[in-house]
């Protein structure tokens, strides 16, 4: 099944040749009803920073999104926060017709899927389950369909926090930029689980290394510097960012820095972490009593220096995304049902609100330019 007709392909080539581009923001929401809209697509005005809705689709509780490298397909963790179930789902997106088409779903092989990532080659999808902790790997068809699980790993260890770490909780599954490794952050056991990824094997994941984080830190989301020499992990429970030197699946700690000011000593709920495409600034969100974005400058050696804090202008900023041009950040405030767009000062890294959009219990966002 070909996702694009020859005419649409011709139109896309023509638009690319003429320099035309359109940036889209993809949102998920905790709608708690499979018969309600759960996946949304908005146009992002990259001059003014406004959002305009173009289409939506019905799906149950998408908690996280990933797009295929060619941007034709959207993959979502679905049926989250739902007892005894969990799934991953795929949609085709047509940027010319501005349409979403549901393709299929597969079981997540565990309860409460919260993170997914697409391999750089576009042939595999990795999913992480939080409640019934584990990771699942799925082959992807050229038509965007998710095939049944080819590999699955369960985890059971806990750590020192009696309320949050009685057992393992995978909270992110991130491929290295070259696709040769996978890193799974385990909030429950204070570990980052590393797997080599061999594309020539039917079961590509090979357990390679386990990186132990600071006890009680609760590693949550994980990202790489654009140059690929550093990696960064945000600790949900410690309210810190850990900086690592990265090389061939190995992580060496070089810094651990707070995402909050010194007046806060407990009750941390740090959530998401991303770096601008030029590698100059790192941003990290805090929920709980803070509801803000910590702004860091990235030094020559990859370490961080705090610049300041920006309110997210809403409650419980679960995720955020930076647009490919590095000009805008969109934050999803779940408890306020509010997506807020900020412009990024290219010199200072400071943020200025440009617009806000109401989306019921908005849970996640990704931004791509076509």
């Amino acid at each position: 099944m070909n996702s694009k007709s020859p005419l649409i392909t011709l139109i896309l080539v023509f638009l690319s040749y003429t320099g035309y581009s359109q940036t889209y923001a993809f949102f998920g929401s905790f709608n708690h009803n499979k018969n309600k809209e759960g996946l949304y697509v908005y146009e992002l005005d990259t001059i003014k920073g406004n959002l305009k809705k173009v289409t939506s689709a019905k799906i149950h509780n998408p908690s996280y999104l990933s797009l295929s490298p060619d941007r034709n397909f959207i993959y979502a963790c679905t049926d989250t926060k739902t007892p005894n179930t969990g799934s991953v789902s795929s949609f085709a997106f047509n940027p010319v017709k501005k349409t979403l088409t549901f393709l299929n779903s597969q079981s997540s092989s565990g309860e409460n899927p919260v993170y997914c990532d697409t391999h750089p080659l576009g042939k595999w999808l990795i999913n992480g389950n939080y409640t019934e902790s584990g990771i699942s790997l799925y082959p992807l068809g050229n038509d965007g369909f998710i095939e049944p699980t080819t590999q699955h790993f369960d985890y059971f260890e806990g750590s020192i926090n009696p309320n949050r770490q009685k057992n393992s909780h995978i909270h992110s599954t991130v491929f290295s930029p070259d696709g040769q490794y996978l890193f799974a952050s385990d909030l429950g056991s204070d570990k980052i689980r590393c797997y080599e990824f061999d594309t020539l094997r039917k079961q590509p994941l090979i357990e390679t290394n386990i990186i132990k984080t600071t006890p009680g830190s609760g590693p949550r989301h994980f990202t790489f510097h654009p140059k690929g020499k550093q990696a960064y992990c945000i600790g949900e429970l410690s309210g810190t960012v850990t900086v690592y030197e990265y090389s061939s699946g190995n992580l060496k700690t070089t810094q651990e820095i707070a995402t909050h000011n010194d007046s806060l000593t407990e009750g941390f709920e740090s959530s998401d972490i991303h770096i601008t495409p030029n590698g100059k600034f790192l941003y990290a969100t805090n929920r709980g009593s803070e509801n803000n974005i910590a702004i860091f400058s990235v030094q020559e050696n990859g370490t961080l220096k705090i610049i300041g804090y920006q309110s997210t202008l809403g409650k419980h900023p679960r995720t955020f995304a930076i647009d490919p041009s590095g000009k805008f950040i969109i934050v999803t405030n779940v408890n306020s049902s509010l997506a807020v767009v900020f412009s990024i000062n290219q010199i200072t890294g400071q943020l200025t609100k440009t617009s806000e959009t109401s989306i019921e219990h908005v849970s996640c966002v990704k931004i791509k330019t076509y």
Side-chain angles (χ1 to χ4, degrees), residues 16-237:
S16 174
Y17 179 77
T18 57
Y20 173 86
S21 67
Q22 178 60 60
T23 299
Y24 293 95
F26 303 86
F27 295 96
S29 75
F30 291 134
N31 57 4
H32 299 288
N33 186 336
K34 63 182 179 181
N35 296 314
K36 293 176 63 177
E37 292 177 320
L39 180 62
Y40 303 83
V41 184
Y42 282 74
E43 289 182 0
L44 172 63
D45 180 340
T46 54
I47 303 298
K48 297 181 178 180
N50 297 325
L51 290 171
K52 178 184 177 183
K53 184 180 176 182
V54 295
T55 190
S56 61
K58 295 177 180 178
I59 195 73
H60 185 227
N61 276 14
S63 64
Y64 204 81
L65 305 175
S66 177
L67 273 76
S68 59
D70 63 10
R71 299 158 294 169
N72 292 331
F73 306 108
I74 303 167
Y75 301 102
C77 297
T78 43
D79 293 314
T80 59
K81 295 180 176 288
T82 307
N84 305 314
T85 188
S87 61
V88 288
S89 302
S90 63
F91 292 80
F93 177 63
N94 185 316
V96 176
K97 294 183 177 180
K98 301 179 182 180
T99 56
L100 278 173
T101 304
F102 174 74
L103 299 178
N104 78 323
S105 294
Q106 296 283 357
S107 169
S108 60
S109 301
E111 192 175 309
N112 203 10
V114 293
Y115 200 101
C116 59
D117 193 21
T118 312
H119 189 272
L121 294 178
K123 296 181 178 181
W124 294 273
L125 178 74
I126 189 73
N127 167 73
N129 298 316
Y130 181 86
T131 303
E132 291 181 318
S133 187
I135 61 173
S136 300
L137 182 71
Y138 307 83
L140 297 173
N142 293 332
D143 53 7
F145 279 71
I146 305 171
E147 298 177 11
T149 305
T150 189
Q151 237 174 326
H152 178 79
F153 297 88
D154 288 311
Y155 312 110
F156 303 98
E157 306 100 311
S159 191
I160 65 172
N161 186 317
N163 297 318
R164 296 293 309 279
Q165 295 181 312
K166 291 181 179 179
N167 53 275
S168 177
H169 296 300
I170 295 295
H171 221 310
S172 63
T173 50
V174 178
F175 286 110
S176 60
D178 59 11
Q180 294 182 15
Y181 295 91
L182 172 77
F183 293 87
S185 299
D186 187 340
L187 182 151
S189 68
D190 289 320
K191 295 176 180 177
I192 300 174
R193 303 176 184 274
C194 177
Y195 291 81
E196 185 179 352
F197 197 88
D198 186 345
T199 59
L200 300 180
R201 293 165 52 111
K202 289 185 177 179
Q203 294 189 321
L205 290 169
I206 306 165
E207 189 170 351
T208 304
N209 191 16
I210 293 179
I211 299 95
K212 294 182 179 180
T213 67
T214 300
S217 61
R220 181 181 170 98
H221 285 184
F222 185 89
T223 193
F224 287 91
H225 190 277
K227 292 183 179 179
K229 294 182 179 180
Q230 284 86 27
Y232 303 81
C233 185
I234 191 165
E236 175 175 338
L237 306 181

Side-chain angles (χ1 to χ4, degrees), residues 288-304:
S289 61
E290 295 177 274
N291 292 310
N292 65 15
I293 306 173
I295 306 168
F296 300 90
S297 61
V298 182
Q299 309 303 294
E300 286 292 328
N301 63 358
T303 58
L304 304 176

